[in-house]
Amino acid sequence: MYKLIAFDMDGTLLTSQKIIAESSIKAIKKASSVGKNIVLSTGRALVELDEYMPILPDVEYGVLASGALVYDFKNKKILHQHKIPASVVDQIRAIVEEKKTMVVAMIDGKIYVQRSHYDHIQNYHMDYYKDLYTHAATFVEDICQILKDERENFEKINLYHFTDKDRLDTYEELRKENITIVKAEETGVEITDKGVEKGEGLEFLCDYLNIPISQAIAVGDADNDESMIKIAGLGVAMGNANENIKSLADVIVNDNDHGGCAQVIDEYLLVD
C-alpha cells in the first residue's frame, strides 16, 4: 500500500546518542531492495547530514531545512528551494543584536554559526549539538554581518535563546510576519518562508516522484513534524514523541532507542 517513508532525524531515526541504530539501517536496506523510497525529512541543513550519508546509501532524497530545500542525494542536485523574505531577515537581525540570541543560519545547504555563540553553547541549552557544529558549521566572527550581507539568500534560520520566556517573546514578535515559525528544542524557534514546512516539502517530492501522498508514511516526534504527519497517508509518532504529535498520529511505535523506525518499516511499509 505504501511506496515511500519519510523519517525525521533527531529524536526519530537518530537514537539518543545521535547514531542510527543497526536495526534501522537493516530495515532501510530491506525496504529499498523491494523498491520503496526512503526519505530523510529533517530540520537539519545538508551539511549536517554528511556523517550519516555513508551508512545510508539507499536514501536518495531529502526534505531538508524543514522543507526549504528538497535534495537529490544521488545526483547531488537541488530539486526545490525557498528563501526567507529579506525584510524578515532584517527583523531577525535586530532581534539577535538586542537579545544576543544564538543563530544557526542556512544557505544552500551550509550552516553559519558565530564563534562566540558556539563557545558558550551551553547557555542556549544546545550543548548536545556541539560536536555536530564542530564538524559541520562554518564559523564566523559576526553573524549579524552575515545576516546583513546575505539577507536574500537564507533557506532557514534557527534562533536559540537563554530562556523559554525569551523564546516566547521572539515567537510572538515574528509569528505575524510572512513566514513559517515553529518552536524547537528547549529554547529555539525555526524560521522558513511562509508555507514552507516538512509537509509541503514531502508533498513536492511525492509529486516529483509521481507517488500519491496517500501512499506516503511520515515518522516524527516533535512539533516541526506536525505538517508531514498530518498530510501523509500514514502519520506515525515515535514512542518518545510529544503529546501533540501522538494525538495527531495514526499510530504510535516504539521510541527512538528501542527500534521504532525498524518497526514502522516492518509493520507498515513492507505490508502489502
Side-chain angles (χ1 to χ4, degrees), residues 33-231:
S33 71
V34 295
K36 305 294 185 178
N37 289 276
I38 316 297
V39 176
L40 301 182
S41 184
T42 176
R44 292 187 179 216
L46 178 62
V47 70
E48 295 176 281
L49 302 180
D50 284 353
E51 65 179 297
Y52 301 109
M53 297 317 297
I55 60 174
L56 295 173
D58 301 303
V59 176
E60 293 189 30
Y61 300 100
V63 176
L64 312 179
S66 298
L69 188 73
V70 180
Y71 194 76
D72 180 336
F73 292 116
K74 184 176 180 180
N75 295 300
K76 298 183 179 179
K77 178 182 176 183
I78 294 173
L79 302 177
H80 189 52
Q81 190 174 29
H82 288 275
K83 304 291 180 64
I84 300 170
S87 60
V88 177
V89 176
D90 294 340
Q91 191 173 355
I92 291 170
R93 177 160 54 90
I95 290 172
V96 173
E97 289 174 338
E98 177 187 353
K99 297 182 180 178
K100 309 300 181 187
T101 305
M102 180 178 174
V103 179
V104 177
M106 304 181 186
I107 302 175
D108 293 334
K110 296 181 180 179
I111 62 170
Y112 296 84
V113 176
Q114 184 168 304
R115 172 66 70 175
S116 63
H117 293 161
Y118 169 83
D119 289 340
H120 298 91
I121 198 169
Q122 69 278 1
N123 293 338
Y124 304 96
H125 308 272
M126 289 291 289
D127 40 310
Y128 42 88
Y129 285 114
K130 189 166 187 177
D131 287 345
L132 171 64
Y133 295 147
T134 299
H135 298 101
T138 296
F139 290 108
V140 299
E141 293 306 312
D142 184 1
I143 195 68
C144 286
Q145 191 63 50
I146 298 294
L147 292 173
K148 181 178 180 180
D149 293 344
E150 302 287 345
R151 59 192 292 273
E152 297 180 347
N153 297 321
F154 292 100
E155 297 150 7
K156 183 183 178 189
I157 297 174
N158 296 348
L159 302 178
Y160 301 104
H161 304 77
F162 291 118
T163 67
D164 189 56
K165 181 184 181 303
D166 290 338
R167 169 170 72 172
L168 182 59
D169 289 344
T170 295
Y171 180 83
E172 290 299 325
E173 183 173 345
L174 291 176
R175 71 186 182 92
K176 301 168 189 174
E177 300 301 320
N178 196 35
I179 55 170
T180 296
I181 180 169
V182 296
K183 296 174 183 177
E185 310 300 341
E186 289 185 50
T187 63
V189 295
E190 300 182 347
I191 300 157
T192 53
D193 191 18
K194 185 70 173 179
V196 176
E197 298 179 275
K198 290 183 179 183
E200 185 267 348
L202 179 60
E203 188 171 31
F204 171 87
L205 183 59
C206 285
D207 286 344
Y208 178 82
L209 296 173
N210 293 314
I211 295 173
I213 194 75
S214 62
Q215 295 180 9
I217 300 173
V219 191
D221 72 304
D223 286 345
N224 62 355
D225 301 313
E226 178 175 328
S227 61
M228 69 171 183
I229 284 176
K230 288 169 69 174
I231 200 172

